[in-house]
């Protein structure tokens, strides 16, 4: 196996590429069911070693947990995530984990507990006999990541052994076990034993598990005369499963069912898993078996992927697809046809479960519906409206304002090209192929769903079938750079971009081709001479997924072509005063992601002179701006917007200096993150979902709401006209310790002051700490602004609106959960209350409404607000509603970005990752 190093000869470049394990091996061909099959090469062996290493590391350190879910002496979630990095790239792992753990509107609206929608795992009986420890370890691993797979197991081999020992020959008809009363009696005993065995193994690892041997499936006789006590499932009761998950336990099911009279019936475990999946609609249906996948009947090699919509008809005609294989594939297609397209089936061995779930490469056989692919020679043939939307939403060149969609379309008309993609446009790729020249993939634009469901592989395979050689580029810090390396024969990185190619073996020929590209302008002039690339693990911080080619370097020859087209969006400059704290750090990340904002000044007394590490658009260093500095800069209009991220009571001199500059032509917008101006009538109070949205578009002075106040007001606003006029509502809020702010701490190895919380998790232990029990500033803030939502007749004739608020700090980092108790003027139903929220927040993209109580863990790191858990007292005149948000994001930085966008004339959500709400 070759490893990339600085003295690697150029001739070796064609095989030097990283895999997800950070090793470098010769790439195998992309895979499909009918013709392109995965081979078990050295990279597979290395992956197996890594999986075993992860397992051994978990055993060595131990998996224990307390009743409260706090890890004591065992491995915490962060440690387990770091171990996962040995299986694939960090960003692969984090992306899949984020997708698997986020709550879904559909889950809540459909009445299914979101945690139950992660995965249904069907486990063969042989696994329980031969791989029990590995199985328990894998399930514990997933649970420590906050995931709750619903586990259903069989016990066929164990049952056969006992039947044979008692002189009973197992009998089958049409592949179905004929079950008489004695067989059923033994089967029930075996199922209970195996269920308890798995539950006990999990409990030994500190993972809570709940055995559910019966009570989930209701069935009628399949054909009593023919099969005996065999059932056909008619109903699935998800209540026992959801109760187990709510209690923090993994549900462990058997396939035993009951009929209306209470008779136990035997049901095929695969069939039961399918019926369970139809009710829960999980993202993954996983079949664990000893083989670890489906195998080609001729070559004997494992099939990596089956895309049913594209391959099913041809696959079912293959000579080797017959008997059990044909039945299984047909059953899986029938199952997936009833589920959302995001659902897929994985057939995998126990020790490869983590690799299948958390890496792009996978390990077993992945079966998904997919979509039929297309390839067209022009924009018009594909559909300009759909393509325009894809380019607008996904192409960094367009979102950054470097090029317009019209400019790209015009360029395509002048160059022979083919557009590849799938029917719902989850992936769009453009390959330029002038006559007699080497093809270049100029665009590769996948959606999140396209990545998750590996449609990217399907489209790339189609490209590879048409083009024996291909070149393409990607940003060097591309989140999915490992995907590119795995599909290339060679690559190298320079000036922040990586060039990839396949189908060219000689490095001298590579240089000649690139020289031609640079001469014709098909690829930017940065890649000659050819040199070795930087391995993925040595690259710096990553940014959003993007593989599109950058525009050519501006020159006299092409500048006139790109100058000032009508749709170009002007860029604005932002100065951040007070950048060391948590909110400042999050705002820097949002500005870095913004297509039209540039951070030009960051002011921090303690960090002055040090470079700003987390900003990638340009080189920026911290400064220590005085009031006089700010006034002079404002007078000269050096900055378009000022963000004050300062402690309460500190920012007034800076604001006064900027105000004074207005008399001399200064025009800067100010957004204050503190509480100093939240009660000033001359300032716009910016909580866009409730008030301030239109005002902010005309305002230059905006006060950003407090984090608790945002949660409280969003909870109460829909209810304001219906509240009891005498009894005041109350809000019990609990925030992560980041809400208490930071303090000066020790310095790191570079001499930078560390960002240290004023209150730490260690200070709090396992408890929460109430504080400011009366007259908290967010109580007055919320009461003041909510009063404006009362009917004018009510506010004029009654006392000022007041609420009661009790804040608490908890031993988690970020995230607020608030419980509202509100007396009502008249009796109402929970459904009526929920409709009020739906009406109030219709069309608000940062608001998620659900029937279940939101979990603060679902809000952490997210840019939106979540509400749920509506319950009305038996009297009908008191309602309880729960809201959650991240105090550093929607409670501060994200809301600041909304206000900045409105004040500066941009789309309100520009720069805010809408897949993280």
């Amino acid at each position: 196996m070759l490893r990339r190093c600085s003295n690697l000869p150029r001739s070796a470049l064609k095989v030097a590429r990283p895999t997800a394990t950070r090793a470098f091996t010769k790439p195998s061909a992309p895979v499909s069911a009918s013709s392109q099959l995965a081979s078990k090469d050295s990279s597979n062996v290395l992956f197996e070693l890594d999986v075993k290493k992860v397992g051994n590391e978990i055993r060595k350190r131990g998996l224990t947990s307390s009743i409260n879910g706090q890890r004591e002496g065992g491995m915490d979630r962060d440690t387990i995530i770091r171990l996962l990095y040995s299986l694939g790239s960090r960003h692969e792992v984090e992306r899949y984990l984020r997708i698997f753990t986020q709550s879904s509107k559909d889950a809540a609206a459909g009445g299914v507990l979101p945690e139950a929608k992660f995965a249904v795992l069907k486990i063969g009986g042989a696994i329980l006999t031969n791989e029990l420890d590995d199985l328990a370890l894998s399930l514990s691993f997933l649970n420590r990541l906050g995931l709750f797979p619903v586990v259903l197991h069989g016990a066929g081999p164990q049952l056969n052994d006992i039947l044979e020992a008692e002189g009973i020959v197992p009998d089958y008809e049409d592949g179905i076990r004929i079950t008489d009363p004695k067989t059923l009696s033994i089967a029930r005993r075996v199922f209970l034993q195996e269920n308890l065995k798995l539950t006990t193994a999990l409990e030994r690892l500190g993972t809570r598990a709940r055995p559910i041997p019966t009570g989930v499936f209701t069935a009628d006789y399949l054909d009593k005369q023919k099969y005996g006590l065999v059932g056909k499932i008619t109903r699935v009761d998800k209540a026992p499963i959801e109760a187990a998950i709510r209690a923090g336990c993994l549900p462990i099911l058997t396939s035993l069912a009951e009929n209306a009279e209470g008779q136990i019936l035997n049901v095929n475990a695969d069939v039961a898993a399918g019926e369970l999946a139809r009710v829960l609609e999980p993202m993954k249906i996983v079949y664990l078996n000893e083989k670890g996948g489906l195998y080609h009947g001729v070559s004997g090699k494992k099939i990596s992927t089956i895309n049913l919509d594209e391959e099913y008809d041809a696959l079912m005609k293959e000579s080797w697809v017959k008997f059990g294989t044909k039945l299984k594939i047909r059953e899986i297609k029938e199952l997936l046809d009833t589920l959302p397209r995001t659902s897929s089936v994985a057939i995998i061995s126990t020790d490869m479960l983590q690799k299948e779930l958390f890496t792009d490469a996978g390990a077993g056989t992945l079966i998904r519906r997919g979509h039929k692919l297309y390839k067209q020679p022009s924009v018009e043939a594909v559909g300009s409206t759909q393509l325009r939307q894809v380019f607008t939403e996904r192409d960094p060149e367009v979102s950054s304002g470097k090029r317009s969609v019209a400019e790209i379309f015009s360029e395509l008309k002048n160059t022979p090209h083919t557009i590849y993609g799938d029917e719902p446009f989850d992936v769009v790729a453009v390959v330029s192929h002038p006559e007699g020249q080497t093809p270049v993939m100029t665009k590769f634009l996948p959606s999140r769903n396209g990545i998750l469901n590996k449609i990217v592989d399907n489209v790339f395979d189609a490209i590879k079938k048409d083009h024996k050689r291909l070149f393409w580029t990607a940003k060097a810090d591309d989140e999915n750079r490992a995907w590119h390396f795995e599909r290339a024969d060679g690559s190298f990185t320079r000036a922040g971009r990586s060039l990839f190619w396949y189908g060219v073996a000689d490095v001298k020929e590579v240089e000649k081709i690139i020289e031609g590209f640079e001469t014709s302008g098909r690829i930017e002039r940065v890649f000659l001479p050819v040199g070795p690339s930087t391995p993925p693990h040595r690259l710096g911080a990553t940014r959003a997924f993007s593989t599109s080619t950058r525009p050519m370097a501006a020159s006299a020859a092409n500048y006139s072509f790109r100058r000032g087209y009508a749709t170009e969006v002007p860029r604005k400059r932002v100065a951040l005063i007070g950048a060391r704290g948590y909110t400042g750090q999050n705002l820097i990340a949002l500005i870095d992601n913004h297509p039209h904002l540039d951070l030009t000044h960051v002011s921090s007394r303690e960090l002055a002179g040090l470079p700003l590490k987390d900003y990638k658009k340009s080189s920026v260093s911290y400064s220590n701006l005085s009031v006089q500095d700010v006034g002079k800069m404002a007078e000269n209009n050096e900055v378009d917007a000022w963000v004050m991220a300062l402690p309460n009571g500190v920012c007034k001199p800076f604001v006064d200096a900027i105000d004074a500059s207005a008399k001399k032509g200064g025009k800067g917008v100010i957004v204050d993150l503190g509480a100093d101006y939240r009660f000033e009538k001359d300032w716009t109070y910016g909580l866009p979902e409730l008030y301030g949205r239109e005002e902010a578009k005309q305002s230059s002075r905006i006060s950003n709401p407090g984090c608790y106040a945002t949660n409280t007001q969003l909870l109460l606003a829909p209810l304001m006209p219906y509240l009891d006029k005498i009894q005041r509502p109350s809000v019990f809020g609990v925030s992560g310790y980041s809400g208490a702010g930071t303090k000066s701490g020790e310095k790191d190895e570079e001499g930078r002051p560390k960002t240290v919380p004023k209150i730490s998790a260690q200070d709090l232990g396992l408890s929460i700490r109430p504080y400011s029990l009366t007259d908290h500033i967010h109580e007055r803030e919320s009461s003041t602004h909510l009063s404006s939502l009362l009917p004018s007749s009510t506010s004029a004739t009654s006392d000022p609106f007041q609420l009661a608020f009790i804040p608490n700090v908890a031993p988690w980092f970020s995230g607020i959960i608030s419980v509202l108790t509100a007396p009502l003027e008249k009796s109402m139903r929970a459904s009526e209350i929920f409709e009020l929220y739906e009406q109030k927040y219709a069309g608000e993209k940062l608001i998620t409404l659900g029937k279940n109580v939101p979990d603060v863990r679902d809000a952490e790191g997210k840019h939106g607000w979540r509400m749920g858990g509506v319950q009305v007292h038996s009297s009908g005149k008191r309602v309880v509603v729960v809201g959650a948000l991240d105090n550093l994001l929607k409670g501060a930085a994200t809301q600041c970005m909304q206000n900045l966008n409105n004040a500066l004339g941009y789309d309100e959500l520009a720069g805010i990752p809408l897949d993280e709400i």
Side-chain angles (χ1 to χ4, degrees), residues 693 836-845 847 849:
R693 175 173 279 152
L836 294 177
Y837 284 88
E838 289 182 315
Q839 294 167 9
K840 185 69 175 177
Y841 298 124
E844 295 292 352
K845 293 183 180 180
I847 288 183
L849 306 179

Side-chain angles (χ1 to χ4, degrees), residues 821-871:
T821 302
L824 301 173
E825 190 172 42
K826 65 176 183 178
S827 179
M828 298 182 74
R829 297 193 303 272
S831 60
E832 294 174 317
I833 297 291
F834 191 79
E835 285 177 8
L836 294 177
Y837 284 88
E838 289 182 315
Q839 294 167 9
K840 185 69 175 177
Y841 298 124
E844 295 292 352
K845 293 183 180 180
L846 295 187
I847 288 183
T848 301
L849 306 179
K851 298 295 177 65
N852 298 319
V853 175
D855 193 315
V856 71
R857 292 172 296 182
D858 296 330
E860 184 178 6
K862 302 297 174 59
H863 294 274
W865 178 70
R866 295 160 185 267
M867 159 273 180
V870 176
Q871 293 191 27

Side-chain angles (χ1 to χ4, degrees), residues 226-240:
K226 188 174 183 180
Y227 304 115
L229 301 175
V230 175
K232 177 182 180 181
I233 294 174
T234 57
R235 179 175 175 271
V236 177
D237 184 359
K238 64 182 184 294

Side-chain angles (χ1 to χ4, degrees), residues 501-691:
W501 68 86
Y502 68 71
V504 183
D506 189 337
V507 72
K508 292 188 180 298
E509 187 178 2
V510 170
E511 288 188 325
K512 183 178 179 181
I513 292 171
I514 296 172
E515 185 176 7
F517 287 158
E518 294 189 350
T519 301
S520 62
R522 297 182 69 199
I523 286 181
E524 55 267 49
R525 296 177 179 274
V526 296
F527 290 114
L528 287 176
V530 174
S533 60
T534 304
H537 64 283
R538 293 185 181 176
L539 293 172
T542 61
R543 298 275 305 284
F545 184 89
S546 166
T547 60
S548 60
T549 306
R550 288 175 56 187
M552 295 177 290
S555 64
N558 64 31
Y559 183 78
S560 59
F561 179 71
R562 292 201 66 251
R563 66 181 182 185
Y565 44 87
T567 58
E568 188 168 9
V569 180
R571 305 188 69 79
K572 299 291 179 69
R573 301 153 298 175
V574 179
L576 177 58
I577 311 299
R580 184 179 62 83
Y582 295 130
T583 298
Q585 293 171 3
N586 280 280
L587 189 57
I588 289 168
L590 287 173
I591 296 173
D592 199 27
N593 193 53
H594 198 289
H596 312 302
L597 288 183
D598 295 313
L599 186 61
T600 56
H601 297 82
V602 285
S603 179
S604 171
R605 178 176 54 83
E606 293 180 314
L607 296 172
L610 295 172
L612 176 61
K613 282 187 171 182
D614 300 324
Y615 186 71
K616 308 301 179 192
K617 288 182 180 177
S618 62
S619 177
V620 179
S621 294
Y622 288 96
S623 56
N624 182 19
L625 296 177
S626 66
V627 172
Q628 292 74 22
D629 294 332
V630 168
K632 191 66 175 176
M633 292 167 60
E635 184 179 328
N636 295 331
N637 284 316
E638 295 180 27
V639 171
D640 298 295
W642 303 84
V643 177
M644 302 294 171
L646 296 166
N648 293 340
V650 175
C651 80
K652 188 177 186 302
F654 293 95
V655 172
D656 289 346
I658 298 170
D659 284 344
S661 75
K663 300 175 183 179
K664 301 178 182 180
K667 299 178 182 179
V669 169
I670 302 175
V671 178
D672 179 25
L673 299 183
D676 294 10
Y677 295 93
R678 291 175 187 160
F679 304 94
E680 296 289 332
K681 292 184 178 179
D682 293 336
W683 283 60
T684 298
Y685 183 75
L687 205 173
E689 290 80 5
L690 295 181
Y691 17 60

